Amino acid sequence: MNHVLLIDDDVELVGMFAEYLEQEGFRVACVHNGDDGARAALGGEYAIAILDVMMPGTNGIEALRRIRAGSRIPVLMLTARGDDADRILGLELGADDYVAKPCTPRELTARVRAILRRTQATQGDGPGALITVGKLAMYPEQRRVTWDGVPVELTSTEFNLLEVLARQAGRPVSKNELSEQGLGRPLARFDRNIDVHLSSLRHKLGPLPDGRSCLQTIYRQGYQLIRE
């Protein structure tokens, strides 16, 4: 699964990225508008989509909204440097990560590899790898989650982060560790990725019997998945 979908209206930039990715062993398809990009991403042919926020017509945010309505394909957003509003909105809508433009092809490729490495890391696990914490059940081989027997739809990155917390349930996990293990990269200064993804997970997972969220922020230590 190394087929990459590049969605960006900047033809010259897309050509440069595509050439570098292909040299690194990826197959690349390029689309230059949000409508066609969303349709292609929903087709099931690609391992990951790289989606630019700023496009005329259907922009990247709307395209992401359409993709997430029907697919959990990993999505890496390309955002303007310093544009925190689009970046956070993209993460809240289900983007897995972002790269700020301008960026180098090498940086983009490294981020793609990190996402795919985490997404595909559990493919060799056996069925005995089930993880349970209270009402939470995780099936790493299938990348499937249930809460009290009810399926929970997670993005690739949300699954990765929850798996890290579930394997260490009952103890705080630092944001640095979550970024390294869940995103596949060191935590950058002022990076709010982890916070946004964990906020989304809180909304998707059920409460504990006493009404608290099962995901707790531990002051100056990180996040903790509570054992019942």
Side-chain angles (χ1 to χ4, degrees):
M1 289 291 290
N2 66 342
H3 203 176
V4 176
L5 175 64
L6 259 171
I7 309 168
D8 194 322
D9 65 313
D10 188 332
V11 177
E12 183 177 351
L13 181 67
V14 164
M16 179 179 67
F17 285 156
E19 182 179 358
Y20 191 92
L21 284 162
E22 287 169 349
Q23 290 175 356
E24 292 296 308
F26 293 95
R27 291 188 298 141
V28 183
C30 302
V31 178
H32 302 296
N33 65 80
D35 284 329
D36 292 342
R39 278 194 293 270
L42 290 166
E45 301 175 37
Y46 303 98
I48 187 171
I50 301 169
L51 177 62
D52 184 40
V53 170
M54 296 299 294
M55 290 185 288
T58 300
N59 63 27
I61 295 297
E62 179 57 32
L64 175 62
R65 191 177 278 113
R66 295 182 191 179
I67 292 168
R68 276 293 168 257
S71 173
R72 289 187 290 171
I73 179 176
V75 175
L76 177 64
M77 299 291 289
L78 294 174
T79 68
R81 189 172 299 278
D83 195 343
D84 291 337
D86 278 342
R87 190 172 301 159
I88 292 171
L89 179 56
L91 293 171
E92 289 175 341
L93 289 173
D96 290 271
D97 205 350
Y98 66 85
V99 175
K101 296 167 71 173
C103 65
T104 65
R106 182 178 181 181
E107 179 184 2
L108 182 74
T109 303
R111 200 66 62 85
V112 168
R113 287 193 191 282
I115 293 173
L116 293 181
R117 185 166 55 246
R118 288 296 305 154
T119 302
Q120 300 166 6
T122 54
Q123 289 182 349
D125 288 353
L130 169 67
I131 305 168
T132 58
V133 181
K135 295 180 180 180
L136 175 70
M138 301 191 73
Y139 303 81
E141 182 183 21
Q142 304 163 24
R143 295 187 68 79
R144 184 166 62 88
V145 173
T146 64
W147 180 272
D148 201 16
V150 178
V152 181
E153 293 293 324
L154 301 181
T155 68
S156 172
T157 294
E158 287 169 352
F159 185 97
N160 295 343
L161 292 170
L162 184 58
E163 183 181 358
V164 174
L165 289 164
R167 291 188 183 279
Q168 302 181 65
R171 78 170 186 84
V173 182
S174 72
K175 289 173 67 174
N176 284 325
E177 189 174 350
L178 283 167
S179 187
E180 289 277 4
Q181 296 188 32
L183 302 182
R185 61 179 176 83
L187 182 69
R189 192 179 183 189
F190 305 123
D191 190 342
R192 295 186 58 192
N193 256 11
I194 301 296
D195 304 306
V196 176
H197 287 307
L198 268 291
S199 176
S200 177
L201 279 169
R202 282 196 181 103
H203 284 94
K204 292 183 178 183
L205 297 176
L208 297 172
D210 61 7
R212 292 181 301 156
S213 169
C214 62
L215 287 172
Q216 295 289 311
T217 302
I218 309 300
Y219 182 62
R220 291 188 174 179
Q221 296 185 61
Y223 290 96
Q224 179 175 331
L225 182 64
I226 303 297
R227 288 188 179 276
E228 293 184 41

